[in-house]
Amino acid sequence: MPTDTNAAVTIAQQWLDASARTATEKQFDAHFNLISRRVRVTGIPGIESVSYQDWARQSEKEFKDNVLKSVSYKGLKVVASNEKQIMFQTLETIVANDGLKKSQGIEVVLEKEEDGVWRVIQERVMPREEAQHFGLIAS
């Protein structure tokens, strides 16, 4: 389906909107329906990779403890796409209720799984210099 860039952008933007909304509203089940059980998150300093179980456990605690104020995304650059996968880059901003704010470039791979739902199967936190190079973060 999204071999054309417009379709890939639409699908990726819908996923980003749903991800930001469900995280901000602390809708755990809806949020984790956007994440593949096969997901791997890389690029976090000092951590080799984060699995679905690790991510779910951490998020469930943060949602329950009301740590998170909001999640938002700005900018969307589709890098590659085919009928089953879309790779894109975006700027993710996470704001905690204690005022801490973190913005980082991320590269995301969505895959259309067997049930027809697009879920993230891979996410990589980009080094700051790389995010600047791709125009996600100002120099």
Side-chain angles (χ1 to χ4, degrees):
M1 179 199 313
T3 44
D4 99 64
T5 307
N6 291 336
V9 167
T10 299
I11 291 164
Q13 189 62 58
Q14 288 172 344
W15 184 89
L16 286 171
D17 293 346
S19 180
R21 183 184 66 255
T22 57
T24 298
E25 295 175 1
K26 297 164 194 64
Q27 298 172 340
F28 182 81
D29 292 338
H31 188 66
F32 273 80
N33 190 45
L34 301 168
I35 301 167
S36 174
R37 292 197 172 270
R38 298 176 293 127
V39 74
R40 281 279 171 250
V41 180
T42 60
I44 300 169
I47 300 173
E48 187 174 325
S49 71
V50 176
S51 69
Y52 177 90
Q53 290 77 15
D54 296 332
W55 192 351
R57 191 171 27 255
Q58 179 72 22
S59 293
E60 190 170 35
K61 181 174 178 13
E62 288 176 358
F63 286 12
K64 187 171 70 75
D65 294 346
N66 199 32
V67 171
L68 191 66
K69 181 175 182 179
S70 68
V71 175
S72 61
Y73 300 98
K74 182 179 173 197
L76 169 60
K77 297 181 179 204
V78 172
V79 176
S81 66
N82 60 40
E83 52 284 331
K84 292 211 36 121
Q85 291 188 331
I86 302 168
M87 176 187 274
F88 63 90
Q89 299 169 336
T90 191
L91 180 67
E92 176 181 65
T93 300
I94 300 168
V95 180
N97 276 315
D98 66 3
L100 188 67
K101 179 179 175 180
K102 181 178 179 182
S103 292
Q104 58 194 13
I106 59 171
E107 187 172 72
V108 176
V109 178
L110 299 180
E111 183 172 285
K112 189 173 187 178
E113 294 195 322
E114 293 297 316
D115 61 0
V117 176
W118 288 91
R119 294 189 178 93
V120 59
I121 60 161
Q122 186 178 316
E123 184 174 307
R124 180 176 66 88
V125 176
M126 301 165 79
R128 185 166 186 80
E129 304 76 38
E130 184 181 2
Q132 288 173 330
H133 173 77
F134 287 111
L136 298 172
I137 297 176
S139 300

